C-alpha cells in the first residue's frame, strides 16, 4: 500500500488523466441516472383533483409481455356508469367523473387558458374533489353559468355576476360568472349537462364517458384500502381495463403525455447510457493504461525482486481506484446541476411536459459510485495484466522498448468489427425512415471500436511503410518522428484511436442526423402544396366554424384539417420472434388531403382517405408485411383497437409521419379538439400571397392564428428547424466530445511528459531545444492527420450508405464545414497537448 | 544505407586551430548548484589541459565531482565561473542553442547507459547526430569504424536486440561518426561484464592510438583507468593528482579503492 503510493509519486500526470476521466464520467453517469430516475419515479403535481384519495382512469399504457409497456399519449375515457357503481361502495365517500375539454376565457388582450387549453374546460364536481380551499359565489347551475379558478378570473378581470366570453370547443359564447374557486389547476367550470355536451360526451365515440373518476374515501378508510377495493371491483366488471392511482401517481392520471415523456426519458437515458458508457470505458481505460505505462519499469523491477503478479496488479489498481474514489464525489456533485440544466432544456424543447418535475434522488449517485470505480478497477487490472503476468525477465526486457507486437486476435476481432460496421450501416438503403439512420450511427460507432482494436497494428504498418519510403531529402526530424511513431505504435495508437473516435463520433452522429434532416426538408418542401396554416394553440384546436368558413370561401381551393397523434402498431421483427408493440407518430388528415399535401403516393389514392381508412409509408408498410387494400388492425393513441383499410402507400414518409389516418378514424381518440391545424391552399387566380382575406375570415374567432407556409421560404438542401430530439442528441454529443477531447489532451500531455528520458537522450546527442520541440510537433501533426484520416474513414462507409439511401448520392447531407472544423479542432488539441509539456521537457537542463 | 553506397567522403575537417596542441583546456572552472537555500559546490576551481591525441582517465570517489567535470567540460552543463575551451573554442561563453550545436558537431559522447534511441536501428542511431546536423556521413570513415568495433552484421538491429557490449560499441561508433575534437566517456564500462568492458576499453585505446582521437573517460574502476595514458584523481571538486596510468595500476595494487 505505502509502496503503491511511493511508486505512484512522480506519476501525477497519469493519475491526473484518470481523475479527469473519472470526473467527467461520473458527471455523465449521474446525468443519465437522474433522467432515468425522473422517468421512472417522478410524478407531476396533483392539480385537477387534489382532494381525491384515489383516481380511476383508463389504462395509460398498453401492457406488453416482452419489454416495457407502451405509453399512450392520448386520453381515453372510462364509462360514466362506473362512477355510480363505485359510489355505491361503502369505502367510497364521494365519486365524481372529471371531464376536460378545450376552453379559454376571452379577454381584452386575447385569450386566457393556462399552459394547456385542451383540458381547461371542466365539469363542476365538488369543492372536496377539486380541492378548492375557498370558493366565493356559487357553483355553475345551468348552461349559462361558468365558474373560474382565481387566477383565470383575475386575468379575465371578471367579478362574480359579470358576463365573461368563453371559447369552448370552437364556439365563443357569453356566460355569467357564478363563482370563483381557489384551485391549483386552471379551470373553466360548467355544470354537468353543459360540460358533457361541450366535451362531446352525449353522442359520438366518447358518448357516456368521463376522463377520470375522483374518489374520496369514507372516514377511517385509507387511500390504499380504498384503491384495493376499487381495483377488485373493477376487475370484477367485464370489459373495463381502468386503472387506480393513489398518492403521487395521481398526477400521472391528469396528463396522459406524461407517461410518454417518462418512457422517453428512460429511453433517452438508456440510449445515452450505451454511447456514454462506451466512451467512458474507452477514456478511463486509456487514462489508466497511460498511467500504468509510466510505471511499467518500476513494476518490472518490483516484479524482479519477488512480487507476485497479484501483488503487481494491486500495486496498479489501488492508487488508480483511490484516485477514482477521490474524484468521484466531485463528478457526481457536478452531475446533478448538469442534469437539471439538461432537463430544463428538454422541457423547453417540448420533449417533456413542463408539469413533470425533475427528480434529484440519491439513486443516481449510488449507481455512479458503484459503476465507475468498478470500471476503473477493471481497466487497471486489464492494463497491468501483461506486465503483472510476464516472467520477471520478460517484464524487465519489455521496459526497454514497447510491449511486443500486438496480439493477432486484436487484428482479427477489429477487422470483423469493421466489416460488421458496414453491414450495420446498410439499413438506410432499405428503410428510408428515421429508423434506418440508427444503423448509420451504430455502424460508425462499431467501426470506431474495430479501429481501436486494429489501431496498434495499423499504426505499425503505416508508419513502417512510411519509414521505408521516406525520400532521402526528408528532414531528419520528420524522419525521426516517423521512426518514433513506428517504434511506439502501441502508445501512438492509443492517442490516434482516441482522437479518431472523437472524429468518427462527430462526423458519424452529426452527419447521420443532418442527412435525415436534409432529406426531410427536401421531402417536406416537395410535398407542401398548402399556402397557409391555420392554428389555434391557445384555445385547444381550430373551431369547426373556421374550418367551414374557409372551406366555403371562394378564394380557397382546399382546406384540410391536420392533427398529429400517435398509433401503436404490432410488429413482429423480421416476420418471426416475439410480437412487440411500437408507438409511431401519425397524422390525422381531413378529406381532400391530396389537395394540400403531396405525400408521393406510389399506390392507391389519397382521395379515398375517409371513414375507416389509413395511408401508410411505403417502407413502414413493407416492414410490416402490409399491402394496399389490406385491412389492418392497430391501436390508436388512446389505446383503442381499430381496424382500417389501407387506401394508399406513399414514399415521402421522412418529411411526414409514417402513418396517415382519416380524420373520421381519429375523432374521439385524440385529447381535446380533433383539429390541431388547418392546411389551406388558396386559389391561384386570386393570388396565393394574400393572407389578409384569410385573417378577415377568422378575425371574429379569438385565438385563431394564420401563418404562411410558402415552400419558397425553405432554403433548398438547407436545414431550417432542428427537431428537439436532434437538438438533444447534438447537445449530448458535444458534451461527450468535450469530455473525450479533454481526456485525450490529458492523456497526450501525460504521455509527452513521460518521454523525459527520451528527450534527454536526444538532447545529449546534440539536439537543440528547438529541434526537440519541432520533433514533438511533427509527431503531434502526424497523430492528428492519422486520427482525422482514420476517424473519417470509419464514418465514411456508413455515411456514404446513408447518403445513397436518403439523398441518392454517396455522401451525406449537412454542413460541409463540419469536417474541416473537426480536423482543425483535433489538430489544435494534439498540438497543444504536446507543445506545452514538450516545451517544459526541451527547456530542461541537459542531464544524462 | 551509407555503408552500401560508396559515395566519396565530403565532410570538411573542422580545423580552427587556436591551441594547436590542446583538445581541451579548463581554466579555474567552478560549478555551484543551489539546492533549495543551500549552495553545493561541485567543482571548486579545476584547471586541466588535455593534449590532442591523448587518453585521460578521471578517477575519484563518488561525489568527488568527476561527473560534473565531464558535464562542464563537454558543454552538457554550464559553468559558474572559469572557462572551458575545446579545440580553441571557448564553449563556456557559448549560449544555447549554439552550445548544443557546437557539442553536436565537435564532441562525441559514450554514456554508461548507452543512450541509444530504442526505436532506431543501430545504423540509424549511428547517423542520428549527423542527420540532426544536416551533414552527410563520411561513409569510408564510418565503414572503417563499424568494422573496427565489429558490429557490421548488427547494423539492422534495434538496441533491444543487441547485447550490452554491442550497444556500447554502437554508441562508440556514433560518438566518433562526426570526427569529433574530443570524445567524453562517462563510466563506459559501468554496465558491462568483464569481457565486454575490456573490449570497449581496448577500442577506446585503439582509436586514440590509431586515429589520433582524444578521449576523456570518467571511471571509478582502476582497471579501466589503466587503459588510459594519464589519470587525474579528484576529491571534493578538485583535481588532486595527475599521473601516468601505469602508476595507478601499481598504487591500486597496493591500496585498492
Amino acid at each position: 500500500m505505502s509502496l503503491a503510493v511511493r511508486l505512484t509519486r512522480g506519476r501525477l500526470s497519469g493519475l491526473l488523466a484518470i481523475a479527469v476521466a473519472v470526473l467527467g464520467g461520473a458527471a455523465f453517469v449521474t446525468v443519465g441516472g437522474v433522467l432515468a430516475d425522473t422517468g421512472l419515479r417522478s410524478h407531476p403535481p396533483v392539480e385537477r383533483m387534489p382532494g381525491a384519495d384515489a383516481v380511476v382512469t383508463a389504462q395509460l399504457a398498453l401492457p406488453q409481455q416482452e419489454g416495457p409497456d407502451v405509453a399512450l399519449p392520448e386520453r381515453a375515457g372510462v364509462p360514466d356508469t362506473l362512477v355510480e357503481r363505485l359510489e355505491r361502495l361503502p369505502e367510497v365517500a364521494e365519486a365524481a367523473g372529471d371531464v376536460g375539454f378545450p376552453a379559454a376565457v376571452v379577454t381584452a388582450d386575447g385569450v386566457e387558458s393556462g399552459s394547456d387549453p385542451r383540458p381547461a374546460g371542466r365539469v363542476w364536481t365538488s369543492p372536496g374533489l377539486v380541492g378548492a380551499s375557498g370558493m366565493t359565489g356559487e357553483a355553475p347551475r345551468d348552461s349559462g353559468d361558468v365558474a373560474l379558478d382565481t387566477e383565470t378570473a383575475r386575468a379575465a378581470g371578471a367579478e362574480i355576476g359579470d358576463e365573461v366570453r368563453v371559447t369552448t370547443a370552437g364556439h365563443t359564447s357569453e356566460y355569467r360568472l357564478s363563482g370563483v374557486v381557489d384551485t391549483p389547476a386552471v379551470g373553466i367550470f360548467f355544470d354537468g349537462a353543459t360540460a358533457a355536451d361541450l366535451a362531446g360526451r352525449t353522442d359520438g365515440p366518447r358518448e357516456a364517458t368521463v376522463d377520470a373518476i375522483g374518489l374520496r374515501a369514507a372516514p377511517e378508510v385509507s387511500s390504499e384500502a380504498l384503491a384495493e377495493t376499487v381495483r377488485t371491483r373493477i376487475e370484477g366488471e367485464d370489459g373495463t381495463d381502468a386503472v387506480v392511482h393513489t398518492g403521487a401517481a395521481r398526477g400521472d392520471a391528469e396528463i396522459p403525455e406524461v407517461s410518454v415523456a417518462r418512457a422517453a426519458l428512460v429511453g433517452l437515458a438508456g440510449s445515452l447510457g450505451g454511447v456514454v458508457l462506451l466512451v467512458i470505458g474507452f477514456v478511463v481505460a486509456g487514462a489508466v493504461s497511460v498511467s500504468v505505462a509510466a510505471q511499467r519499469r518500476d513494476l518490472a523491477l518490483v516484479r524482479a525482486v519477488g512480487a507476485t503478479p497479484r501483488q503487481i496488479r494491486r500495486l496498479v489498481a489501488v492508487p488508480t481506484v483511490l484516485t477514482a474514489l477521490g474524484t468521484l464525489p466531485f463528478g457526481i456533485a457536478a452531475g446533478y446541476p448538469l442534469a437539471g440544466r439538461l432537463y430544463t432544456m428538454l422541457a423547453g424543447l417540448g420533449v417533456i411536459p413542463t408539469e413533470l418535475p425533475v427528480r434529484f434522488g440519491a439513486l443516481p449517485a449510488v449507481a455512479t459510485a458503484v459503476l465507475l470505480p468498478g470500471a476503473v478497477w477493471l481497466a487497471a487490472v486489464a492494463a497491468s495484466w501483461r506486465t503483472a503476468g510476464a516472467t520477471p525477465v520478460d517484464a524487465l526486457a519489455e521496459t526497454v522498448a514497447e510491449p511486443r507486437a500486438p496480439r493477432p486476435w486484436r487484428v482479427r476481432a477489429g477487422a470483423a468489427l469493421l466489416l460488421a460496421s458496414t453491414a450495420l450501416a446498410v439499413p438506410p438503403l432499405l428503410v428510408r425512415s428515421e429508423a434506418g439512420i440508427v444503423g448509420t450511427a451504430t455502424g460508425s460507432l462499431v467501426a470506431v471500436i474495430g479501429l481501436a482494436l486494429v489501431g496498434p497494428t495499423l499504426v505499425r504498418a503505416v508508419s513502417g511503410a512510411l519509414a521505408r519510403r521516406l525520400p532521402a531529402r526528408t528532414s531528419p526530424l520528420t524522419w525521426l518522428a516517423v521512426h518514433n511513431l513506428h517504434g511506439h505504435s502501441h502508445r501512438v495508437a492509443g492517442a490516434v484511436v482516441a482522437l479518431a473516435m472523437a472524429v468518427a463520433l462527430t462526423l458519424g452522429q452529426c452527419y447521420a442526423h443532418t442527412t435525415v434532416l436534409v432529406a426531410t426538408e427536401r421531402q417536406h418542401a416537395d410535398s407542401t402544396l398548402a399556402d397557409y396554416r391555420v392554428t389555434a394553440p391557445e384555445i385547444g384546436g381550430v373551431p369547426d366554424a373556421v374550418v367551414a368558413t374557409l372551406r366555403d370561401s371562394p378564394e380557397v381551393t382546399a382546406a384540410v384539417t391536420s392533427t398529429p397523434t400517435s398509433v401503436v402498431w404490432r410488429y413482429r421483427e423480421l416476420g418471426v420472434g416475439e410480437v412487440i408493440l411500437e408507438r409511431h407518430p401519425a397524422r390525422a388528415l381531413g378529406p381532400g388531403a391530396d389537395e394540400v399535401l403531396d405525400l408521393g403516393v406510389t399506390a392507391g389514392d389519397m382521395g379515398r382517405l375517409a371513414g375507416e381508412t389509413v395511408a401508410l409509408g411505403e417502407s413502414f408498410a413493407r416492414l410490416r408485411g402490409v399491402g394496399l387494400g389490406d385491412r389492418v388492425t392497430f391501436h390508436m393513441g388512446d389505446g383503442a383497437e381499430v381496424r382500417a383499410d389501407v387506401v394508399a402507400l406513399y414514399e415521402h414518409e421522412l418529411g411526414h409521419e409514417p402513418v396517415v389516418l382519416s380524420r373520421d378514424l381519429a375523432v374521439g381518440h385524440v385529447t381535446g379538439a380533433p383539429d390541431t391545424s388547418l392546411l389551406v391552399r388558396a386559389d391561384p387566380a386570386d393570388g396565393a400571397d394574400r393572407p389578409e382575406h384569410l385573417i378577415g375570415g377568422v378575425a371574429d374567432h379569438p385565438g385563431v392564428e394564420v401563418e404562411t407556409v410558402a415552400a419558397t421560404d425553405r432554403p433548398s438542401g438547407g436545414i431550417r428547424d432542428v427537431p428537439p430530439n436532434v437538438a438533444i442528441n447534438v447537445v449530448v454529443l458535444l458534451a461527450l466530445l468535450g469530455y473525450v477531447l479533454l481526456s485525450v489532451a490529458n492523456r497526450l500531455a501525460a504521455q509527452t511528459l513521460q518521454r523525459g528520458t527520451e528527450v534527454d537522450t536526444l538532447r545529449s546527442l546534440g539536439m537543440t531545444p528547438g529541434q526537440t520541440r519541432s520533433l514533438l510537433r511533427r509527431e503531434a501533426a502526424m497523430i492528428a492527420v492519422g486520427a482525422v484520416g482514420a476517424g473519417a474513414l470509419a464514418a465514411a462507409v456508413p455515411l456514404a450508405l446513408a447518403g445513397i439511401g436518403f439523398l441518392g448520392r454517396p455522401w451525406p447531407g449537412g454542413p460541409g464545414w463540419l469536417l474541416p472544423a473537426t480536423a482543425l479542432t483535433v489538430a489544435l488539441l494534439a498540438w497543444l497537448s504536446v507543445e506545452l509539456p514538450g516545451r517544459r521537457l526541451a527547456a530542461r537542463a541537459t542531464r544524462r | 544505407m551509407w555503408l552500401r553506397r560508396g559515395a566519396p567522403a565530403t565532410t570538411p575537417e573542422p580545423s580552427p586551430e587556436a591551441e594547436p596542441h590542446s583538445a581541451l583546456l579548463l581554466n579555474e572552472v567552478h560549478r555551484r548548484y543551489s539546492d533549495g537555500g543551500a549552495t553545493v559546490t561541485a567543482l571548486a576551481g579545476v584547471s586541466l589541459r588535455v593534449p590532442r591525441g591523448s587518453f585521460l582517465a578521471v578517477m575519484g570517489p563518488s561525489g568527488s565531482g568527476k561527473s560534473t567535470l565531464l558535464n562542464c567540460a563537454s558543454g552538457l552543463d554550464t559553468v559558474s565561473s572559469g572557462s572551458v575551451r575545446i579545440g580553441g573554442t571557448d564553449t563556456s561563453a557559448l549560449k544555447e542553442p549554439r552550445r548544443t550545436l557546437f557539442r553536436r558537431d565537435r564532441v562525441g559522447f559514450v554514456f554508461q547507459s548507452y543512450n541509444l534511441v530504442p526505436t532506431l536501428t543501430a545504423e540509424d542511431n549511428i547517423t542520428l547526430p549527423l542527420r540532426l546536423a544536416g551533414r552527410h556521413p563520411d561513409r569510408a570513415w564510418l565503414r572503417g569504424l563499424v568494422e573496427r568495433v565489429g558490429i557490421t552484421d548488427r547494423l539492422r538491429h534495434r538496441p533491444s536486440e543487441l547485447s550490452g557490449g554491442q550497444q556500447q560499441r554502437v554508441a562508440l561508433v556514433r560518438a566518433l561518426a562526426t570526427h569529433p575534437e574530443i570524445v567524453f566517456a562517462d563510466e563506459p564500462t559501468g554496465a558491462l561484464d568483464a569481457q565486454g568492458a575490456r573490449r570497449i576499453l581496448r577500442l577506446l585505446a585503439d582509436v586514440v592510438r590509431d586515429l589520433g582521437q582524444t578521449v576523456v573517460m570518467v571511471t571509478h574502476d582502476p582497471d579501466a583507468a589503466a587503459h588510459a595514458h594519464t589519470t587525474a584523481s579528484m576529491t571534493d571538486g578538485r583535481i588532486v593528482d595527475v599521473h601516468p596510468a601505469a602508476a595507478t595500476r601499481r598504487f591500486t595494487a597496493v591500496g585498492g579503492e
Side-chain angles (χ1 to χ4, degrees):
Chain A
M1 172 71 192
S2 61
L3 177 65
V5 172
R6 244 168 282 152
L7 277 181
T8 307
R9 209 176 292 156
R11 308 298 184 206
L12 283 179
S13 58
L15 288 184
L16 188 70
I18 294 174
V20 170
V22 169
L23 196 70
F28 269 109
V29 175
T30 307
V31 169
V34 168
L35 291 189
D37 196 27
T38 301
L40 291 173
R41 301 199 296 170
S42 175
H43 300 282
V46 183
E47 290 185 332
R48 281 173 81 87
M49 289 192 286
D53 296 306
V55 176
V56 178
T57 63
Q59 57 180 357
L60 299 174
L62 283 178
Q64 180 159 227
Q65 276 161 359
E66 300 285 321
D69 296 352
V70 179
L72 298 167
E74 306 286 0
R75 162 76 69 196
V78 286
D80 59 3
T81 48
L82 189 60
V83 180
E84 291 155 38
R85 288 209 296 277
L86 291 180
E87 193 152 34
R88 273 185 244 125
L89 291 172
E91 287 86 352
V92 174
E94 185 188 359
D98 183 33
V99 170
F101 50 92
V105 175
V106 181
T107 64
D109 315 325
V111 289
E112 184 64 40
S113 61
S115 62
D116 187 1
R118 290 181 303 163
R122 299 178 59 183
V123 61
W124 175 255
T125 48
S126 78
L129 281 172
V130 172
S133 50
M135 175 168 188
T136 49
E138 291 173 343
R141 289 263 165 75
D142 59 44
S143 60
D145 284 355
V146 70
L148 296 176
D149 67 285
T150 319
E151 209 154 304
T152 309
R154 191 182 302 132
E159 302 284 332
I160 290 172
D162 286 358
E163 294 284 304
V164 286
R165 291 189 77 203
V166 178
T167 293
T168 55
H171 304 281
T172 306
S173 316
E174 303 273 326
Y175 293 87
R176 189 184 70 87
L177 183 61
S178 67
V180 174
V181 193
D182 202 11
T183 177
V186 168
I188 301 166
F189 295 96
F190 299 89
D191 75 306
T194 311
D197 185 36
L198 291 171
R201 309 300 164 106
T202 49
D203 56 359
R206 297 210 154 170
E207 185 178 355
T209 62
V210 292
D211 290 343
I213 302 170
L215 300 170
R216 283 203 303 132
E220 311 289 313
V221 176
S222 72
S223 52
E224 278 71 34
L226 172 72
E228 205 42 56
T229 315
V230 173
R231 229 166 255 143
T232 323
R233 178 68 202 230
I234 291 171
E235 276 164 19
E237 313 272 343
D238 274 344
T240 317
D241 48 7
V243 200
V244 188
H245 312 266
T246 54
R250 287 171 300 158
D252 297 350
E254 294 190 355
I255 309 166
E257 295 98 311
V258 163
S259 57
V260 177
R262 293 168 54 166
L265 280 175
V266 175
L268 181 66
S271 70
L272 267 187
V275 180
V276 169
L277 280 183
L278 185 82
V279 170
I280 291 172
F282 255 108
V283 167
V284 170
V288 169
S289 75
V290 168
S291 171
V292 169
Q295 293 183 64
R296 198 166 270 143
R297 179 156 185 86
D298 292 356
L299 293 176
L301 289 174
V302 176
R303 178 96 178 88
V305 298
T308 63
R310 197 185 154 76
Q311 284 174 314
I312 295 290
R313 280 196 285 275
R314 288 192 51 184
L315 276 180
V316 173
V318 167
T320 307
V321 172
L322 282 182
T323 308
L325 288 178
T327 334
L328 199 63
F330 300 99
I332 293 174
Y336 280 97
L338 284 176
R341 293 288 290 273
L342 180 64
Y343 198 81
T344 313
M345 204 193 90
L346 290 174
L349 287 168
V351 177
I352 45 175
T354 44
E355 289 88 351
L356 190 66
V358 61
R359 186 187 165 96
F360 291 128
L363 213 59
V366 173
T368 309
V370 171
L371 268 177
L372 222 57
V376 170
W377 180 80
L378 268 181
V381 168
S384 60
W385 198 263
R386 216 174 200 175
T387 306
T391 64
V393 174
D394 286 344
L396 272 176
E398 282 200 359
T399 62
V400 177
E402 280 228 310
R404 289 178 303 264
R407 294 180 181 174
W409 67 262
R410 282 187 71 132
V411 181
R412 284 199 290 272
L417 282 178
L418 284 173
L419 278 178
S421 77
T422 310
L424 278 171
V426 166
L429 293 182
L430 311 171
V431 186
R432 293 184 62 197
S433 69
E434 269 170 65
I437 206 70
V438 174
T440 306
T442 318
S444 52
L445 208 62
V446 169
V448 170
I449 305 174
L451 210 61
L453 288 174
V454 299
T457 314
L458 204 63
V459 169
R460 226 182 155 78
V462 170
S463 58
L466 205 59
R468 280 192 298 279
R469 283 183 182 74
L470 278 181
R473 293 186 309 281
T474 312
S475 120
L477 295 176
T478 305
W479 172 85
L480 192 56
V482 170
H483 276 85
N484 275 343
L485 295 188
H486 185 57
H488 297 289
S489 50
H490 239 280
R491 183 186 70 198
V492 171
V496 170
V497 167
L499 285 173
M501 185 164 85
V503 173
L505 263 178
T506 316
L507 298 182
Q509 304 271 339
C510 284
Y511 276 135
H513 285 305
T514 54
T515 300
V516 175
L517 284 183
V518 168
T520 305
E521 288 288 327
R522 265 196 197 177
Q523 287 193 2
H524 220 104
D526 287 352
S527 59
T528 304
L529 303 176
D531 301 302
Y532 307 106
R533 185 187 292 113
V534 179
T535 56
E538 294 193 324
I539 57 169
V542 180
D544 295 345
V546 173
V547 177
T549 309
L550 285 173
R551 199 173 277 154
D552 296 341
S553 161
E555 296 124 316
V556 169
T557 308
V560 177
T561 61
S562 167
T563 305
T565 176
S566 302
V567 293
V568 178
W569 210 279
R570 265 199 212 88
Y571 178 52
R572 201 189 281 266
E573 209 156 345
L574 302 171
V576 291
E578 296 289 331
V579 173
I580 48 170
L581 294 173
E582 278 180 343
R583 191 180 54 243
H584 302 281
R587 181 163 296 272
L589 292 177
D594 48 347
E595 293 283 323
V596 291
L597 277 179
D598 173 14
L599 292 174
V601 174
T602 54
D605 178 11
M606 284 300 281
R608 290 177 55 209
L609 193 72
E612 291 181 348
T613 58
V614 291
L616 299 177
E618 236 181 358
S619 67
F620 179 90
R622 190 175 62 236
L623 278 177
R624 281 152 192 81
V626 176
L628 186 68
D630 288 359
R631 192 161 179 80
V632 289
T633 309
F634 57 94
H635 296 273
M636 297 296 290
D638 65 349
E641 195 173 69
V642 293
R643 291 169 151 271
D645 293 323
V646 179
V647 294
L649 297 176
Y650 55 87
E651 59 178 358
H652 290 175
E653 58 192 304
L654 256 188
H656 300 278
E657 289 74 6
V659 177
V660 169
L661 312 166
S662 89
R663 181 181 182 272
D664 306 333
L665 192 64
V667 164
H669 298 295
V670 292
T671 312
D675 304 315
T676 305
S677 61
L678 185 69
L679 297 173
V680 178
R681 189 174 177 186
D683 191 332
D686 278 311
D689 50 5
R690 269 199 313 124
E692 305 86 55
H693 68 280
L694 283 173
I695 293 168
V698 298
D700 45 341
H701 293 277
V704 175
E705 298 164 12
V706 181
E707 58 176 358
T708 316
V709 272
T712 45
D713 68 352
R714 296 161 192 281
S716 63
I719 297 158
R720 209 179 42 137
D721 315 308
V722 177
N725 62 326
V726 173
I728 294 160
N729 273 323
V730 168
V731 166
V732 171
L733 184 70
L734 285 181
L736 211 56
L737 276 178
Y739 172 61
V740 170
L741 291 180
L742 190 67
S743 313
V744 176
N746 237 301
R747 203 170 143 180
L748 269 176
Q751 278 180 345
T752 308
L753 281 177
Q754 286 164 14
R755 297 176 65 184
T757 324
E758 195 185 326
V759 168
D760 285 347
T761 300
L762 293 172
R763 291 277 287 119
S764 74
L765 296 177
M767 193 180 251
T768 63
Q771 281 181 317
T772 311
R773 285 199 303 272
S774 171
L775 171 70
L776 292 174
R777 227 174 277 149
R778 278 159 213 242
E779 287 188 34
M782 289 177 201
I783 286 175
V785 168
V788 172
L793 228 74
V797 172
L799 288 179
L801 292 180
I804 293 170
F806 284 98
L807 302 170
R809 62 179 201 211
W811 68 90
W817 51 261
L818 192 59
L819 179 62
T822 310
L824 211 67
T825 309
V826 164
L828 194 71
L829 186 95
W831 173 67
L832 273 181
S833 50
V834 165
E835 179 72 16
L836 299 179
R839 262 167 207 267
R840 219 165 93 191
L841 287 185
R844 221 156 57 162
T846 333
R847 259 178 275 116
R848 286 160 300 143
Chain B
M1 282 170 218
W2 44 266
L3 282 171
R4 280 160 203 83
R5 278 186 230 136
T10 51
T11 316
E13 186 72 23
S15 57
E17 301 294 281
E19 285 268 350
H21 303 299
S22 301
L24 175 68
L25 194 62
L26 268 65
N27 186 25
E28 275 300 307
V29 170
H30 286 77
R31 184 66 174 98
R32 286 175 289 270
Y33 298 102
S34 57
D35 179 19
T39 306
V40 179
T41 303
L43 293 182
V46 174
S47 298
L48 182 67
R49 196 181 81 88
V50 179
R52 193 170 281 274
S54 69
F55 186 178
L56 171 73
V58 179
M59 291 194 66
S62 292
S64 60
K66 57 186 192 297
S67 283
T68 309
L69 174 69
L70 188 132
N71 287 349
C72 290
S74 63
L76 279 173
D77 200 355
T78 53
V79 299
S80 304
S81 66
S83 73
V84 177
R85 298 181 81 87
I86 293 176
T89 306
D90 186 353
T91 58
S92 52
L94 291 178
K95 298 259 181 299
E96 283 293 359
R98 291 205 51 200
R99 197 150 50 88
T100 301
L101 296 179
F102 177 84
R103 204 174 71 223
R104 186 174 73 194
D105 295 343
R106 311 280 295 278
V107 181
F109 286 95
V110 179
F111 302 99
Q112 178 176 3
S113 52
Y114 324 135
N115 279 16
L116 298 180
V117 179
T119 55
L120 299 182
T121 61
E123 180 180 328
D124 288 338
N125 261 293
I126 289 169
T127 50
L128 182 59
L130 293 169
R131 281 178 188 267
L132 290 176
R135 277 161 61 180
H136 289 286
D138 178 347
R139 293 170 206 287
W141 168 249
L142 286 179
R143 201 180 300 117
L145 288 173
V146 164
E147 278 162 13
R148 176 183 288 270
V149 305
I151 51 165
T152 314
D153 55 340
R154 312 301 287 170
L155 288 174
R156 284 295 191 179
H157 295 264
R158 298 258 177 98
S160 57
E161 297 159 336
L162 301 176
S163 74
Q166 287 170 337
Q167 290 190 53
Q168 194 62 298
R169 280 181 273 149
V170 172
L172 180 59
V173 176
R174 178 179 64 188
L176 295 167
T178 54
H179 294 282
E181 197 76 33
I182 184 167
V183 171
F184 290 96
D186 184 13
E187 303 275 9
T189 60
L192 299 178
D193 59 21
Q195 203 193 339
R198 258 198 312 280
R199 187 157 185 188
I200 287 295
L201 290 166
R202 230 178 281 131
L203 284 169
L204 280 172
D206 284 356
V207 296
V208 173
R209 189 188 62 232
D210 301 348
L211 307 174
Q213 270 294 336
T214 312
V215 174
V216 174
M217 172 176 72
V218 162
T219 181
H220 64 264
D221 175 10
D223 287 338
H227 286 80
H229 299 151
T230 319
T231 300
S233 297
M234 286 192 74
T235 307
D236 296 333
R238 285 187 180 81
I239 293 179
V240 290
D241 187 20
V242 179
H243 43 239
T248 327
R249 183 166 276 177
R250 205 177 60 238
F251 286 137
T252 48
V254 178
E257 197 190 5

